[in-house]
Amino acid sequence: MSAIVETRGLTREFTVRDGRRRRRLTAVDDLTVRVEPGEAVGYIGANGAGKSTTIKMLTGILVPTSGTVTTCGLRPVKDRRRLARQVGVVFGQRSQLWWDLPVRESFRILAAIHALPAATERARTAELVDRLEMADFLTTPVRQLSLGQRMRAEVAAALLHAPRLVILDEPTIGLDVLSKQRLREFLIAERRTHGTTLLLTTHDMGDVQRLCDRVLIIDHGRLAYDGDLVGLGRATGAERVLVVDLVGPSPDLTGIPAARHLSSEAHGLRQRLSFDAEATTAARVFAAVAERVEVLDFTVEEPDIEDVVRRIYAARR
Amino acid sequence: MRAMTRVYWRLLGAGFRRQSTYRLAALGGLVANTTFGLLKVAVLFATVRAAGGDVAGYDLGRMSTYIWLSQALLGSINLSGRTDIAERIKDGQVAVDFLRPLDVQAAEVTTAVGGALFALIPRGIPMLAIGGFVGMALPASPAAYPLSALSLLLGIVISVAAAYLVGVAGFWLVETRGPQICYMVVSGFLAGLFVPIQLFPRWLELTAQATPFPSMMMYPIDILAGRVGPAGALTLLAVQLAWLAAVGGLGQALTRAGRRHLEVQGG
């Protein structure tokens, strides 16, 4: 089967004006990746690492300086309009809705833009309105929507034509926990029912953990990691952290097998233990703790994305 | 083909409806147009009277038609050079335009024309009403009406397509306010917004005729005011079509070249 995204030596340079001097900046540097249909890929990196530039080259917005890129079997710049029918893009910071018009009107215009037959338009709009719970604000002008509502409408707008490839650039930025959760559930369902390929950039580890089965990390325009999440944890040695709230004050919980005591607060009422997910499980660490003290509450903290990225970056230097 | 027609029809409708949400702006424009119209009456009527009742084919009736028509069209004909595309290039929103299976220029122009057509209602009709009330000369031939409607539509499209050229200069300049202001000064003057171009000295009139600006406003008015007959109207329509092809073609070329130059602002 042919790849849905394939780049070879993809490179993009920009001219930056630095006071009076001009210098060349390489935003994407010799990137070679291949994404198969149906994959869900998290594309991660620090701000300015080249994520958005890559996406803009994949979709034909930006012209590469060198290298080749094929998306959905098409050459993005040359076949921009044909490609647009097969790709849906959500830029978390940009809107593709008509600001002054009701949400429903944007969907109608987009359906016309993508030449959806009337029956398809009706069915797909109904499906999206239902799954993204948009019925309450369909007739509201876009400018009056809350951020959570607007993001749902943006996602619906990008997915209205049931694209094969969905690219989300920071889709959950600024959303509250509930809105994030809803959006993720929707994307999971969309993948399941339509076999959509997903490529998303994010700073939110939750997005990656819940949505992606493959991770690409980019550092200064270069590919720094390509693999699954488990391997990422292994590669970085990033550890998970068990936080326990105890019933009474307690000395530091040292000597738990395969776990390391990190810190204690309030005379040991709250303690943090890190453990290597490869060597043990959260349940085993918890059981060992519960044998020694009475636990009131606990949470498990995942390594955050900045931390993972930092470790990957540090390992390369 | 039918699907394509449907798209642009929808975009035209979107522009029309979007413009309809700016009620206060329409009212403000109406007040400004009326004031400016009365000013033109004072100056230009005095000119006609001083010239003994006729200046370059304009008597008081025709001058009245010119004044109120030009004021009626002011809200719909883009003589300012201000465009959405300029804004969207500046803030990077243009990326979204390139994500659609549409011709970026055609989509932008169609949407803007939709807005311009709406503006005829709140800003055009009242001006014509004033003109009708104070008295305007109207064309003798009934053929002048469909011809002038066509000419007006062409004028709107040419003005929007020419303003688009100023906007896409942003692919190279990013900030286009300077060129836009120069454009605004020149275009209004040469389009015949302040005085009919026939009142210009001969060399300036010829200069104006060498630009697309009279095709935006002066020619539709010449036809509707009956200053030219049906044969002359057809000539003017041909000139307008030629200018439409020129600015449209240039816009296509600049969009294509600009895309290679595009550096999306704001990440």
Side-chain angles (χ1 to χ4, degrees), chain B:
Chain B
M1 190 61 216
R2 253 184 63 207
M4 244 16 207
T5 317
R6 184 170 151 237
V7 177
Y8 289 106
W9 190 245
R10 271 279 160 83
L11 287 175
L12 194 76
F16 190 90
R17 288 197 52 191
R18 187 178 62 180
Q19 194 66 39
S20 75
T21 62
Y22 305 145
R23 303 233 166 98
L24 216 57
L27 184 68
L30 183 61
V31 172
N33 288 5
T34 312
T35 314
F36 194 42
L38 293 172
L39 207 69
K40 273 157 99 173
V41 167
V43 174
L44 292 172
F45 275 26
T47 311
V48 174
R49 289 204 184 96
D54 187 305
V55 56
Y58 284 93
D59 56 15
L60 284 181
R62 282 214 176 112
M63 194 54 95
S64 179
T65 311
Y66 158 78
I67 290 165
W68 295 111
L69 268 179
S70 59
Q71 292 308 99
L73 302 183
L74 197 47
S76 302
I77 292 171
N78 187 339
L79 295 174
S80 70
R82 275 195 288 267
T83 50
D84 278 359
I85 192 92
E87 290 300 310
R88 288 210 303 276
I89 291 173
K90 200 164 82 178
D91 65 18
Q93 186 72 24
V94 72
V96 173
D97 298 351
F98 280 109
L99 281 176
R100 298 197 165 129
L102 293 178
D103 184 286
V104 171
Q105 180 204 25
E108 158 80 12
V109 168
T110 308
T111 311
V113 169
L117 290 177
F118 176 82
L120 287 174
I121 301 169
R123 295 181 62 179
I125 292 172
M127 292 297 112
L128 292 183
I130 294 177
F133 182 71
V134 300
M136 293 191 296
L138 290 170
S141 155
Y145 292 97
L147 288 176
S148 56
L150 184 59
S151 175
L152 169 59
L153 184 63
L154 280 170
I156 289 174
V157 181
I158 294 168
S159 75
V160 169
Y164 176 87
L165 301 180
V166 183
V168 291
F171 282 132
W172 291 269
L173 304 172
V174 182
E175 175 60 69
T176 54
R177 217 164 329 159
Q180 178 255 315
I181 288 170
C182 296
Y183 181 90
M184 183 162 71
V185 172
V186 173
S187 69
F189 189 63
L190 297 182
L193 173 63
F194 307 112
V195 287
I197 64 166
Q198 295 84 9
L199 266 60
F200 287 171
R202 184 73 187 137
W203 65 270
L204 193 56
E205 187 186 351
L206 287 173
T207 309
Q209 282 168 352
T211 71
F213 301 114
S215 288
M216 299 172 188
M217 179 174 261
M218 199 67 238
Y219 299 163
I221 293 176
D222 283 342
I223 299 174
L224 195 55
R227 232 188 56 80
V228 296
L234 289 174
T235 312
L236 291 183
L237 282 171
V239 173
Q240 283 185 300
L241 280 172
W243 277 116
L244 179 59
V247 293
L250 189 56
Q252 276 289 313
L254 285 180
T255 310
R256 203 160 303 162
R259 239 185 114 205
R260 307 225 141 245
H261 218 272
L262 176 66
E263 299 191 357
V264 175
Q265 308 297 319

Side-chain angles (χ1 to χ4, degrees), chain A residues 12 14-15 52 56 59-63 76-77 80-81 84-85 89 91 93-98 100-102 105 108-116 121 143, chain B residues 3-4 6-8 10-11 13-15 17-18 21-22 91-104 111 172 259-267:
Chain A
R12 170 74 201 214
F14 289 104
T15 308
S52 292
K56 284 175 188 126
T59 48
I61 296 169
L62 281 179
V63 182
V77 171
R80 174 182 71 82
R81 285 158 71 176
R85 298 193 184 281
V89 185
F91 286 119
Q93 326 230 34
R94 307 203 183 286
S95 178
Q96 50 190 318
L97 304 166
W98 276 260
D100 301 298
L101 301 182
E105 194 59 30
R108 286 200 186 124
I109 298 166
L110 286 165
I113 286 176
H114 287 289
L116 300 186
E121 176 185 348
R143 64 183 135 79
Chain B
M4 244 16 207
R6 184 170 151 237
V7 177
Y8 289 106
R10 271 279 160 83
L11 287 175
R17 288 197 52 191
R18 187 178 62 180
T21 62
Y22 305 145
D91 65 18
Q93 186 72 24
V94 72
V96 173
D97 298 351
F98 280 109
L99 281 176
R100 298 197 165 129
L102 293 178
D103 184 286
V104 171
T111 311
W172 291 269
R259 239 185 114 205
R260 307 225 141 245
H261 218 272
L262 176 66
E263 299 191 357
V264 175
Q265 308 297 319

Side-chain angles (χ1 to χ4, degrees), chain A residues 6 19 37 43 91 123 156 165 169 209 215 234 257 273 295:
Chain A
E6 188 164 22
Y43 193 41
F91 286 119
L165 170 63
D169 194 6
Q209 276 166 340
V215 179
R234 205 178 301 146
L273 301 157
V295 179

Side-chain angles (χ1 to χ4, degrees), chain A residues 61-315:
Chain A
I61 296 169
L62 281 179
V63 182
T65 307
S66 63
T68 61
V69 50
T70 325
T71 309
C72 299
L74 300 166
R75 288 155 301 175
V77 171
K78 204 156 179 295
D79 305 323
R80 174 182 71 82
R81 285 158 71 176
R82 273 170 65 203
L83 179 61
R85 298 193 184 281
Q86 301 193 39
V87 180
V89 185
V90 178
F91 286 119
Q93 326 230 34
R94 307 203 183 286
S95 178
Q96 50 190 318
L97 304 166
W98 276 260
W99 195 241
D100 301 298
L101 301 182
V103 176
R104 181 197 296 278
E105 194 59 30
S106 285
F107 295 160
R108 286 200 186 124
I109 298 166
L110 286 165
I113 286 176
H114 287 289
L116 300 186
T120 314
E121 176 185 348
R122 260 197 309 277
R124 181 66 171 160
T125 309
E127 182 189 11
L128 291 169
V129 167
D130 176 48
R131 285 218 197 136
L132 286 163
E133 298 168 52
M134 297 187 296
D136 292 343
F137 56 85
L138 265 185
T139 53
T140 310
V142 173
R143 64 183 135 79
Q144 291 172 11
L145 298 182
S146 73
L147 179 63
Q149 291 173 329
R150 192 173 70 83
M151 277 315 296
R152 276 182 274 160
E154 292 287 353
V155 169
L159 271 65
L160 191 68
H161 57 297
R164 288 171 64 198
L165 170 63
V166 172
I167 299 178
L168 304 127
D169 194 6
E170 311 261 4
T172 56
I173 199 163
L175 294 188
D176 62 40
V177 178
L178 191 66
S179 304
K180 271 184 195 177
Q181 187 53 32
R182 260 200 207 137
L183 193 55
R184 286 172 190 156
E185 278 166 12
F186 165 77
L187 290 169
I188 290 166
E190 180 71 15
R191 254 191 94 197
R192 198 169 44 224
T193 43
H194 297 279
T196 315
T197 309
L198 218 58
L199 177 63
L200 71 125
T201 77
T202 182
H203 284 286
D204 190 318
M205 198 60 177
D207 285 348
V208 178
Q209 276 166 340
R210 290 190 181 70
L211 294 172
C212 303
D213 36 43
R214 180 177 164 200
V215 179
L216 299 172
I217 297 183
I218 185 171
D219 175 22
H220 285 85
R222 286 173 170 273
L223 193 62
Y225 177 82
D226 178 357
D228 63 10
L229 265 175
V230 179
L232 182 61
R234 205 178 301 146
T236 56
E239 293 174 316
R240 302 172 78 193
V241 174
L242 179 73
V243 185
V244 286
D245 288 333
L246 306 179
V247 174
S250 154
D252 293 354
L253 293 161
T254 50
I256 306 273
R260 191 160 53 87
H261 177 264
L262 288 179
S263 64
S264 294
E265 289 168 43
H267 309 290
L269 271 175
R270 166 172 287 186
Q271 304 206 12
R272 295 159 51 85
L273 301 157
S274 78
F275 61 96
D276 180 355
E278 291 283 291
T280 185
T281 64
R284 256 187 252 148
V285 177
F286 179 76
V289 171
E291 261 172 36
R292 292 180 30 187
V293 289
E294 199 176 340
V295 179
L296 197 62
D297 196 6
F298 72 96
T299 52
V300 179
E301 289 177 355
E302 304 297 338
D304 74 345
I305 214 151
E306 269 72 22
D307 187 40
V308 170
V309 169
R310 214 165 21 243
R311 282 162 188 265
I312 286 271
Y313 285 7

